[in-house]
């Protein structure tokens, strides 16, 4: 029985790419920076202390992949005697360091152009775009209109939003138009409706995503975002692994925001989860009932949204350790021909200036009962991962990528 699981540790880069200077990210190394701070005692608190503790990820080759990628071992983290995976790293060929590009490329579709973005000015959005948005969505106006951290802008403008009914609109270095609004005072359904209007308007600007960011709470100190986030994403520009597997009669189970990232294309079932641990639970539940020719595709978003963007080293370290501790549960459930892949879509170094993604290599860790232990080296595209899984499922070769012989 052929099944596969993709676990995307959203933003877990393992060293700056050769072209990182083009993005201002020359010194970025998400995993390496976290390990260094842990080894130095800078990530200690009441819940965790000392060097980074990720023995299962190390056994699956994450440390060795980090060394191969960056030339530097993880500080304070012991290397295992044996690595039980096909491990290496991948170099992104897509022109941006955003979530859709990274995921599409790992599914076999690199993006050969840059997406549209908004300038780092205030206001940052074109006046005509906002005028059309206000008119078509029947709004009293908007707040924000700038580059911002999502949690910070909600803190600063959330109370005014509740009073005025004006949604909070902001962006980042990515190709994105984000809209934050209160679930109760503004309404979740209303937020989703105006987000759909915004997506239609930004399409001509080649903006990849509109993200609806609902939040709750009554004051700046109590506001917090909810799990009802919705990403409205441009569909993939070509046939992905997901499309090919679905067309061949297989099942593609989206856990978390995967369905949003692929605009629903190639998906046969959607499962949600409130946080990384809930997503891990959902992944295991899906695997229990998964039949032949099923791909379970999971994005663990907390690494990026809660810790990378917020530059929270301690939180990121704790999340890595919690994720690591659960990997044996997955391994125990895997059957003879099952293949799992741990990877990432970009970096988001929590020690780096700003709050944006970082241009980095990503880990490529294939494991399973029949997967051989080997170094697979530097993969020249994330698409090698999709091509490898296409081969695993016996599908026709995708347009991009070189399959890795993992068994």
């Amino acid at each position: 029985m052929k099944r596969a699981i993709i676990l995307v540790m959203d933003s877990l880069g393992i060293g700056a790419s050769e072209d990182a200077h083009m993005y201002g990210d020359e010194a970025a190394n998400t995993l390496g920076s976290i390990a260094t701070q842990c080894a130095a005692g800078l990530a200690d608190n009441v819940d965790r202390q000392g060097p980074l503790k990720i023995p299962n990820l190390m056994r699956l080759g994450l440390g060795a992949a980090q060394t191969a990628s960056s030339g530097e071992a993880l500080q304070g983290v012991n290397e295992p005697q044996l690595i039980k995976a096909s491990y290496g790293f991948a170099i992104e060929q897509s022109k941006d360091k955003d979530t859709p590009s990274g995921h599409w490329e790992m599914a076999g579709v690199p993006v050969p152009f840059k997406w549209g973005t908004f300038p780092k000015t205030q206001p940052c959005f074109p006046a005509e775009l906002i005028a059309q948005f206000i008119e078509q969505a029947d709004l009293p106006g908007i707040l924000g209109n700038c580059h911002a951290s999502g949690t910070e802008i909600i803190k600063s403008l959330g109370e005014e939003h509740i009073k005025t009914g004006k949604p909070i609109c902001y962006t980042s270095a990515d190709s994105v138009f984000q809209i934050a609004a209160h679930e109760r005072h503004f309404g979740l359904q209303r937020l989703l409706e105006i987000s759909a209007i915004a997506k239609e308007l930004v399409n001509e600007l080649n903006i990849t995503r509109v993200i609806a960011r609902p939040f709750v709470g009554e004051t700046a100190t109590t506001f917090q975002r909810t799990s009802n986030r919705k990403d409205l994403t441009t569909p993939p520009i070509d046939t992905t692994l997901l499309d090919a597997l679905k067309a061949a009669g297989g099942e593609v189970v989206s856990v978390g925001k995967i369905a949003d990232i692929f605009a629903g294309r190639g998906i046969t079932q959607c499962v949600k989860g409130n946080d990384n641990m809930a997503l891990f639970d959902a992944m295991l539940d899906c695997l229990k009932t998964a039949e032949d020719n099923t791909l379970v595709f999971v994005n663990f978003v907390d690494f990026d949204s809660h810790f990378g963007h917020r530059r929270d080293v301690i939180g990121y370290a704790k999340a890595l350790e919690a994720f690591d501790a659960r990997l044996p549960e997955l391994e125990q459930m895997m059957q003879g021909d099952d293949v799992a892949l741990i990877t990432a879509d970009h970096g988001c170094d929590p020690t780096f200036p700003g709050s944006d993604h970082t241009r980095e290599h990503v880990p490529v860790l294939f494991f399973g009962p029949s997967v051989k232990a080997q170094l697979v080296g530097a993969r020249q595209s994330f698409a090698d991962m999709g091509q490898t899984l296409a081969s695993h499922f016996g599908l026709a070769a995708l347009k991009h990528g070189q399959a890795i012989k993992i068994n």
Side-chain angles (χ1 to χ4, degrees), residues 144-299:
N145 204 340
C146 60
H147 281 243
S149 157
T151 52
E152 292 304 314
I153 200 168
I154 289 169
K155 212 178 277 186
S156 63
L157 296 177
E159 293 181 15
E160 185 179 354
H161 157 70
I162 292 172
K163 291 175 185 175
T164 64
K166 298 176 181 179
I168 304 167
C169 301
Y170 61 102
T171 189
S172 70
D174 286 346
S175 179
V176 65
F177 185 100
Q178 305 198 61
I179 309 173
H182 198 281
E183 281 201 1
R184 184 168 64 86
H185 294 291
F186 191 85
L188 179 59
Q189 188 57 41
R190 173 77 169 130
L191 171 59
L192 297 178
E193 289 170 359
I194 69 169
S195 296
I197 292 169
K199 185 63 178 82
E200 288 298 316
L201 292 173
V202 301
N203 280 339
E204 65 183 50
L205 301 176
N206 201 28
I207 300 299
T208 324
R209 284 186 296 170
V210 169
I211 304 179
R213 293 280 197 179
F215 66 96
V216 293
E218 297 302 320
T219 64
T221 56
T222 61
F223 291 143
Q224 63 181 62
R225 298 193 295 200
T226 76
S227 60
N228 290 320
R229 159 184 171 160
K230 176 70 175 177
D231 293 39
L232 290 81
T233 308
T234 300
I237 59 175
D238 208 337
T239 301
T240 69
L241 168 69
L242 286 61
D243 296 319
L245 183 57
K246 181 180 178 181
E251 295 291 319
V252 179
V253 182
S254 160
V255 181
K257 66 176 187 175
I258 294 297
D260 287 353
I261 293 168
F262 287 86
R265 278 245 316 257
I267 306 294
T268 60
Q269 181 183 349
C270 296
V271 180
K272 296 295 184 180
N274 292 333
D275 54 30
N276 275 1
M277 293 301 97
L279 291 165
F280 211 105
D281 289 337
M283 174 190 69
L284 296 180
D285 287 343
C286 292
L287 191 59
K288 286 176 186 175
T289 58
E291 300 290 341
D292 191 23
N293 291 320
T294 295
L295 170 65
V296 180
F297 200 165
V298 195
N299 176 284

Side-chain angles (χ1 to χ4, degrees), residues 19-26 94-97 114 359:
D19 61 358
H21 64 280
M22 297 171 60
Y23 303 81
D25 296 335
E26 297 93 323
S94 298
K95 299 303 181 184
D96 279 323
K97 50 181 179 177
K114 277 188 168 290
R359 181 75 165 183

